[in-house]
Each structure stands twice: as structure tokens, then as C-alpha cells.
Amino acid sequence: MTATAEAPAEIGAVETFEVTLRVKRQNPEGNDAHGPGEEYWEEFQLTCLATDRVLDALHQIKWNVDGTLNFRRSCAHGVCGSDAMRINAKNRLACSTLLKDLNPARPITVEPIAGLPVLKDLIVDMEPFFASYREIMPFLMTTGPTPERERLQSPEDRERFDDTTKCILCAACTTACPVFWTDGQYFGPQAIVGAHRFIFDSRDEGQWERLEILNDRAGVWKCRTAFNCTEACPRGIEVTKAISEVKHALNTGEV
Ligand code: SF4
Ligand code: F3S
Ligand code: FES
């Protein structure tokens, strides 16, 4: 089915271009044309601004063409991590992806991220992803009395885990990982990034508990260094490098 959105009147003299968005849809209850849970593609013809992102195109559909389209988003500025999607076969944030950078002369495909159960259209069940994150205990663990003021740390010690503090829990890395797709047990790269952020924090005392969890058969040894995770990360985190640092700590016993 193809649906078309009228260009908003106020666009006026601002540069616009035509875009075809192909969206993979699925409704657990079904609709007039498709059975419950049946996957299908729907095409939308849109008039977009040169500055529009994929999220703007999805909003245009939702608000002007078909209010039944479902997707997650919140901040719209690459901070909350809620709108990771598979756009032209790559995991990206819809709010950080400009349409004009996607060769809009051809149809642009938008699908849910892979490897997690689809709830409806572009919305997946994130619970298995967050369950892995909870496993690695993503909070500061200390013994002894709480200091009266902040826990001090040198700039050099802070630098050791700076990269992995940037994670926004979008799941683009984990759902791009071929081991995660096929294994069914692997914690996935994000859980290792989340653990890395505390393992290499000089103020934390729970690093060996976390390393023991990641030494499990669902842990770091499942990683086959495919690098999809690093390529997918919208925050530019060196995910594969973080995983290799955790493997090194387990191999050498040194943090
Ligand atoms: Fe998203 Fe990157 Fe964090 Fe993975 S490591 S969840 S891709 S921000
Ligand atoms: Fe998967 Fe990344 Fe390892 S894509 S195999 S976690 S390097
Ligand atoms: Fe928050 Fe895209 S909507 S990161």
C-alpha cells in the first residue's frame, strides 16, 4: 500500500525533496489487510525539507497520514537512546540520521532493530536487553564508610573508562551483533560496555564480581570480534576495544 502526505503549506520557498519511505510493519492484533503478527512493508510518499531526519519523516506519517504507525522516541536529539532502528539495513538513531544522507532518490527502508521480539511496527521488547544490563550490576560498589565529600579520582584514572560512560542504552550495538542474533544466550556488547564503565573505575570495588559474570559462557568469550557493534554505535564508542580490554583483564588478572 502507498500513502501520500501533502507538503505543509508553510514550507513556501524552503528547499524540499520527495522521499519514499518503506516501513516494515507488524500488528499483533492484525488489521483489515493483514493477519495478527504478519510482517508487511508499507510505502509512504513524502515531501521533506533538506534538514529533515528520518524521525521527522516518521512524524509526518504519524501526524498527517497514518496515526496507527508505532515507534519510540523521546528527546529527538540523540540523547535518550529510544529511537534506534534499522535504516537502509544499518542500525542508526532516527533522530540523528538526515534523509539527504541516505540517497533519498531511492526508497529508504526502516525496520525494527533485529534480535529482539517485535511488539508493534518499529517497537521491540527491550526487556531481554535490559535484563543483561542488570546482570552486570551497573552501579558503584564500595565497602567501608561513605566519605563526607565526593570520592576523588585523578584525571588519568577517569580517562580509563571515559569512552564507555557515553552509552545511552540504545541497543544499536547489541542488535547489530551476529552472535546475539543467533546464540540466544550472549549478554551482547552493551552489557560489556556497561560493565567496562565500572570495572575500570578506580573508585569501584566490584570489578571482580563483574568480571566473574562476564567470564560466564554467556559473557565476553562469545564475542567473535565482528565489529558490527562499533560500527553501529551512534555515540562513537569503541565497543570492540572495550570488550577486548575486559578479555585482557580476565586473561591477565590485571585491571
Ligand atoms: Fe547504544 Fe553505543 Fe551504548 Fe551500544 S554502546 S547501547 S550502540 S550507545
Ligand atoms: Fe558482536 Fe561486536 Fe563482538 S558485533 S561479535 S560484540 S565485536
Ligand atoms: Fe532520543 Fe533519538 S529520540 S535518541
Side-chain angles (χ1 to χ4, degrees):
M1 178 183 148
T2 301
T4 306
E6 294 291 321
E10 67 268 25
I11 284 178
V14 178
E15 187 192 344
T16 64
F17 60 100
E18 303 302 306
V19 173
T20 302
L21 218 66
R22 295 192 74 223
V23 183
K24 191 185 261 185
R25 304 198 63 179
Q26 189 184 122
N27 184 337
E29 293 164 3
N31 55 31
D32 291 347
H34 301 277
E38 182 190 337
E39 284 182 0
Y40 61 98
W41 289 92
E42 188 162 11
E43 267 189 27
F44 299 90
Q45 309 296 334
L46 307 169
T47 302
C48 296
L49 301 174
T51 52
D52 275 351
R53 307 152 301 170
V54 172
L55 181 63
D56 297 307
L58 291 171
H59 278 152
Q60 193 181 147
I61 295 169
K62 177 104 184 150
W63 295 335
N64 303 337
V65 183
D66 183 350
T68 70
L69 181 67
N70 286 272
F71 53 92
R72 284 196 184 99
R73 51 94 177 87
S74 182
C75 71
H77 286 89
V79 178
C80 73
S82 62
D83 64 341
M85 304 173 186
R86 200 165 156 82
I87 300 168
N88 279 0
K90 280 187 167 179
N91 282 3
R92 316 172 202 242
L93 296 178
C95 67
S96 305
T97 306
L98 286 169
L99 292 165
K100 70 180 176 60
D101 291 343
L102 293 171
N103 186 13
R106 298 170 63 87
I108 293 168
T109 58
V110 184
E111 304 166 69
I113 44 180
L116 293 169
V118 176
L119 297 177
K120 198 171 185 187
D121 295 335
L122 301 171
I123 297 181
V124 298
D125 179 3
M126 296 286 281
E127 182 48 33
F129 170 80
F130 286 120
S132 294
Y133 183 53
R134 285 196 295 271
E135 287 257 354
I136 56 87
M137 300 180 289
F139 41 82
L140 192 75
M141 291 161 70
T142 60
T143 55
T146 304
E148 282 183 17
R149 300 191 56 156
E150 66 269 33
R151 297 173 194 274
L152 295 176
Q153 185 170 56
S154 70
E156 293 74 26
D157 282 345
R158 176 64 176 73
E159 182 61 29
R160 293 193 68 200
F161 64 99
D162 184 66
D163 199 32
T164 46
T165 63
K166 298 175 196 155
C167 178
I168 55 172
L169 288 164
C170 69
C173 55
T174 294
T175 59
C177 172
V179 180
F180 181 77
W181 294 334
T182 53
D183 185 271
Q185 298 288 318
Y186 182 35
F187 287 143
Q190 191 290 322
I192 304 169
V193 163
H196 180 286
R197 181 255 170 270
F198 289 100
I199 289 168
F200 295 95
D201 184 337
S202 59
R203 300 163 299 183
D204 188 81
E205 295 171 46
Q207 59 267 64
W208 291 108
E209 277 182 66
R210 293 193 188 85
L211 283 166
E212 201 47 52
I213 292 165
L214 294 177
N215 203 18
D216 181 86
R217 57 195 175 81
V220 285
W221 308 114
K222 293 265 181 184
C223 169
R224 293 289 174 264
T225 327
F227 273 93
N228 291 21
C229 51
T230 301
E231 286 167 21
C233 181
R235 303 286 291 172
I237 296 170
E238 293 187 271
V239 180
T240 313
K241 181 173 173 225
I243 294 170
S244 74
E245 287 175 359
V246 171
K247 287 178 178 171
H248 184 261
L250 280 166
N251 275 331
T252 61
E254 287 171 19
V255 170

